[in-house]
Amino acid sequence: MKNVNWKKAAGIILAVIMLTISACSSGNKPNEGDSGTESPSASSGADTTHASEKPVEKADPLGKFDPMIEVTTVKSLDDGSMNFPEGESIDNNLWTQGFEKDLGIKLKVEWLVPDNQYDQKLNVMIASDDLPDIMMVNAVQLKQLVDNEMVADLTEVYAQYKSELTDQIMMSDGGIGLKQATFDGKLMALPQMNGAADSAPILWIRKDWLDHLGLAVPATMEELINVAKAFTENDPDQNGQKDTYGLALEKGLFGGEFVLNGFFNGYHAVTGSPGNLLWNKGSDGNLIMGYVQPEAKTALGKLAEMYKAGYIEKDFAVKDVGKVGESVVSEKIGMFYGLHWNVFTPLPSAVQKNPAADWRPYPIPTVDGTITAENLLGVSNFFVVKKGAVNPEAAVKILNYFLLKQNPLSPEFDARFHNGPQYPDASHSEYKYSPIFVFHPQQNILIHRGFVEYGKARDTNVLSAWNQGNQADIDLLENGYNGTDGEGKAAGVKTEVWAGWMWSGPIGAYSVVNSYLENKQIVEPVFYGAPTPTMTAKQSTLEKLILENYTKFIMGVRPIEEFDKFVQDWDSLGGADITKEVNDWAMSK
């Protein structure tokens, strides 16, 4: 049995994207859970008290409850995971069986809904103060629960029960995730760790179009605009028609598949995405929201020039990601800013349609040659324990157990707990059925580095924990990518392995992210506090204001000279209050 499906992309989209060259599974049947009598509930009793002053007395991270306890939770799944194989259910699977057998925890899922219904249903429970023992919440919900004293202080039980592996992984982002979950010095939740650099922007370009026109990969914003012009005016697809565009945009501008974050980063403006706006230090040392900083005005002005010149589709403002994806697949687009996961959508369809379409990932060009690539916080969801739970340590033990079974760094890693023994593809991954699940923030980078080192040495010892056992898949990728010469230039592709190669291979998306990390070009968020009161009340209104005005600026409906008036509107609608709250937070650190 292979040790792990190394092609796992944990990122800003919560679910782990997997390549499908080979699935990792075992024919072994899951462990049978212990049968038991009615058990005491974890729902009643006194909350743990915060005792940071006392020395921590370590306890068994995986100690079994005897007698067995019952822990309640609520759950959502993507549509593809709602249909269970015969004999399994959300209450009966590898995880629930393992919790009973090894931890003495009987898990009861009070309700299960599709992902798009979860927040609404959970908000009703919060409003009625009818909470399960353990649940996943977003940052706004966490703040609401903490403010209303509805969740347990986990400071002491986490320090007492965390395993060494849990501590290693939860600190591998420098402790930012744990800080996000800490209020007034108390740990009020367990952060759902995800990829630490997975939201760094990448520029995707048709390399074959560059070659047709004798152009180099753009390194500056001036060069990027010149490439966009050539892709629009000089017939890069050689069909004799003027039917192509230099740069893709979609109506959402930020936060989708064709995101403008990287373009704005080229002018050293950080932006973020809807629900996750970014802040950085202004010239006066105070924190300023990226969308209203002067550098954003410069970037908008350049986009307006490109739109007027015809380098951007005229109807971008009514095109969603699906429609723009159709333009990419139909070979009307030569460049777009995106993320590492664009290698899974829409690019495989473009390469399948035309294997000669040589889409490549590159670092973002910049106005002055200095890359400052923004990165969202790696944690957007948290696991909380209801205040008053008798056994709040059960949440920490479940976290320890998840990492023990699912994480390749563990000596007891078991691939069945990731994919499951009965699932036909990676969309039915078994890990989703655990009430708490986290991932190593560096795992995708480690996958890429293992791939590259193995390619150099052909020594399996250099493979990361996520690559171990998959050297045959790596060989398939390298050999399947036709015509790869010593410089990494590809003469063609085999579409069945293209995505895997272009995600983690030596010229893949993670080679770009890795270069950012090695050259210290990632700009980490400077604000990682809980949503401020005005954010909670006004941010959606402000985001709508930003999108409407940015679209008008780009299309020339509103002249860029009115950018300062837009900033004034943003301030008056709550932006000034949020800015004060954010800077007050920064002063308290």
Side-chain angles (χ1 to χ4, degrees), residues 356-472:
D358 192 6
W359 280 101
R360 299 278 189 98
Y362 295 101
I364 58 171
T366 68
V367 68
D368 57 5
T370 302
I371 291 177
T372 50
E374 71 178 45
N375 187 47
L376 299 178
L377 290 168
V379 174
S380 56
N381 289 301
F382 306 83
F383 301 101
V384 296
V385 175
K386 180 177 70 172
K387 185 174 183 177
V390 169
N391 299 106
E393 72 274 14
V396 185
K397 290 186 179 184
I398 288 173
L399 171 59
N400 295 336
Y401 191 79
F402 178 86
L403 294 173
L404 178 78
K405 295 296 185 182
Q406 195 273 345
N407 194 282
L409 295 178
S410 167
E412 294 190 34
F413 167 75
D414 186 338
R416 296 176 305 146
F417 284 82
H418 185 82
N419 284 348
Q422 304 180 64
Y423 293 102
D425 59 62
S427 68
H428 291 86
S429 296
E430 188 97 9
Y431 77 86
K432 300 174 185 177
Y433 304 141
S434 174
I436 296 176
F437 53 96
V438 303
F439 302 98
H440 195 302
Q442 305 294 333
Q443 75 174 44
N444 293 339
I445 289 294
L446 295 175
I447 288 171
H448 162 72
R449 290 173 179 171
F451 192 154
V452 172
E453 289 305 310
Y454 175 75
K456 294 176 181 176
R458 285 298 188 274
D459 178 0
T460 58
N461 291 322
V462 304
L463 294 174
S464 75
W466 287 268
N467 299 110
Q468 284 291 333
N470 289 94
Q471 59 266 28

Side-chain angles (χ1 to χ4, degrees), residues 189-207:
L190 302 174
Q192 185 193 48
M193 309 298 287
N194 268 303
D198 286 355
S199 58
I202 290 169
L203 179 63
W204 290 93
I205 307 181
R206 280 285 299 264
K207 177 66 164 55

Side-chain angles (χ1 to χ4, degrees), residues 528-543:
Y528 52 83
T532 69
T534 313
M535 279 183 191
T536 303
K538 302 289 184 65
Q539 185 157 307
S540 61
T541 299
L542 292 171
E543 288 176 354

Side-chain angles (χ1 to χ4, degrees), residues 126-246:
I126 293 173
S128 60
D129 195 12
D130 180 24
L131 304 180
D133 298 318
I134 298 173
M135 58 186 163
M136 185 174 76
V137 299
N138 60 35
V140 173
Q141 292 163 335
L142 174 60
K143 182 69 163 56
Q144 179 184 357
L145 290 165
V146 171
D147 288 347
N148 288 281
E149 300 183 354
M150 297 171 70
V151 290
D153 175 6
L154 301 178
T155 310
E156 186 173 326
V157 295
Y158 180 73
Q160 191 173 9
Y161 285 91
K162 65 182 177 180
S163 68
E164 290 185 10
L165 180 59
T166 293
D167 189 44
Q168 174 187 344
I169 290 174
M170 300 297 272
M171 288 299 296
S172 60
D173 68 340
I176 294 296
L178 289 169
K179 288 180 181 178
Q180 287 181 258
T182 299
F183 296 77
D184 296 326
K186 300 178 182 180
L187 182 67
M188 303 303 294
L190 302 174
Q192 185 193 48
M193 309 298 287
N194 268 303
D198 286 355
S199 58
I202 290 169
L203 179 63
W204 290 93
I205 307 181
R206 280 285 299 264
K207 177 66 164 55
D208 53 318
W209 285 14
L210 289 176
D211 294 342
H212 291 163
L213 300 177
L215 298 170
V217 175
T220 67
M221 297 308 294
E222 182 181 3
E223 291 171 355
L224 176 120
I225 294 170
N226 288 337
V227 168
K229 177 181 180 180
F231 280 2
T232 304
E233 298 179 348
N234 296 351
D235 192 24
D237 58 353
Q238 301 177 328
N239 68 351
Q241 301 178 42
K242 189 178 178 181
D243 59 353
T244 55
Y245 297 91

Side-chain angles (χ1 to χ4, degrees), residues 237-551:
D237 58 353
Q238 301 177 328
N239 68 351
Q241 301 178 42
K242 189 178 178 181
D243 59 353
T244 55
Y245 297 91
L247 184 68
L249 267 67
E250 56 99 0
K251 65 180 183 179
L253 299 183
F254 302 90
E257 289 181 14
F258 308 98
V259 292
L260 276 176
N261 308 63
F263 187 94
F264 279 73
N265 292 172
Y267 292 94
H268 304 308
V270 299
T271 55
S273 60
N276 204 340
L277 304 185
L278 291 180
W279 300 72
N280 65 348
K281 286 189 177 181
S283 57
D284 60 359
N286 291 323
L287 302 190
I288 182 173
M289 202 274 292
Y291 287 99
V292 298
Q293 66 186 106
E295 292 82 356
K297 178 180 179 179
T298 303
L300 279 170
K302 294 298 181 181
L303 284 168
E305 292 174 8
M306 294 172 70
Y307 179 82
K308 184 177 181 180
Y311 308 159
I312 296 167
E313 290 180 287
K314 291 297 182 185
D315 58 348
F316 82 87
V318 297
K319 284 194 168 186
D320 59 17
V321 293
K323 289 297 184 183
V324 180
E326 290 175 7
S327 294
V328 170
V329 174
S330 62
E331 302 188 81
K332 302 302 181 186
I333 299 293
M335 288 189 297
F336 67 86
Y337 285 90
L339 300 166
H340 68 93
W341 50 265
N342 289 117
V343 77
F344 300 102
T345 177
L347 293 180
S349 296
V351 174
Q352 185 175 14
K353 180 179 181 294
N354 178 13
D358 192 6
W359 280 101
R360 299 278 189 98
Y362 295 101
I364 58 171
T366 68
V367 68
D368 57 5
T370 302
I371 291 177
T372 50
E374 71 178 45
N375 187 47
L376 299 178
L377 290 168
V379 174
S380 56
N381 289 301
F382 306 83
F383 301 101
V384 296
V385 175
K386 180 177 70 172
K387 185 174 183 177
V390 169
N391 299 106
E393 72 274 14
V396 185
K397 290 186 179 184
I398 288 173
L399 171 59
N400 295 336
Y401 191 79
F402 178 86
L403 294 173
L404 178 78
K405 295 296 185 182
Q406 195 273 345
N407 194 282
L409 295 178
S410 167
E412 294 190 34
F413 167 75
D414 186 338
R416 296 176 305 146
F417 284 82
H418 185 82
N419 284 348
Q422 304 180 64
Y423 293 102
D425 59 62
S427 68
H428 291 86
S429 296
E430 188 97 9
Y431 77 86
K432 300 174 185 177
Y433 304 141
S434 174
I436 296 176
F437 53 96
V438 303
F439 302 98
H440 195 302
Q442 305 294 333
Q443 75 174 44
N444 293 339
I445 289 294
L446 295 175
I447 288 171
H448 162 72
R449 290 173 179 171
F451 192 154
V452 172
E453 289 305 310
Y454 175 75
K456 294 176 181 176
R458 285 298 188 274
D459 178 0
T460 58
N461 291 322
V462 304
L463 294 174
S464 75
W466 287 268
N467 299 110
Q468 284 291 333
N470 289 94
Q471 59 266 28
D473 289 339
I474 296 174
D475 292 340
L476 174 65
L477 289 175
E478 290 190 315
N479 295 332
Y481 199 85
N482 287 348
T484 303
D485 63 23
E487 297 180 356
K489 296 178 181 178
V493 296
K494 285 190 175 178
T495 58
E496 65 269 24
V497 297
W498 183 87
W501 176 266
M502 276 300 173
W503 181 64
S504 57
I507 59 171
Y510 264 94
S511 70
V512 175
V513 178
N514 188 58
S515 72
Y516 292 158
L517 290 171
E518 290 185 340
N519 293 304
K520 302 186 185 309
Q521 295 167 332
I522 296 283
V523 178
E524 297 293 351
V526 293
F527 174 74
Y528 52 83
T532 69
T534 313
M535 279 183 191
T536 303
K538 302 289 184 65
Q539 185 157 307
S540 61
T541 299
L542 292 171
E543 288 176 354
K544 183 179 179 181
L545 178 77
I546 292 166
L547 179 58
E548 288 178 351
N549 281 275
Y550 268 43
T551 302

Side-chain angles (χ1 to χ4, degrees), residues 27-82:
N28 297 337
K29 293 183 179 180
N31 296 327
E32 296 298 325
D34 292 342
S35 59
T37 56
E38 187 69 17
S39 59
S41 171
S43 302
S44 59
D47 181 27
T48 2
T49 57
H50 175 55
S52 59
E53 307 298 325
K54 298 190 217 172
V56 175
E57 182 179 342
K58 295 297 291 182
D60 185 352
L62 297 165
K64 185 174 181 179
F65 290 102
D66 186 14
M68 184 179 295
I69 65 168
E70 180 179 273
V71 171
T72 58
T73 190
V74 293
K75 193 72 179 164
S76 72
L77 293 170
D78 58 85
D79 291 340
S81 299
M82 294 288 285

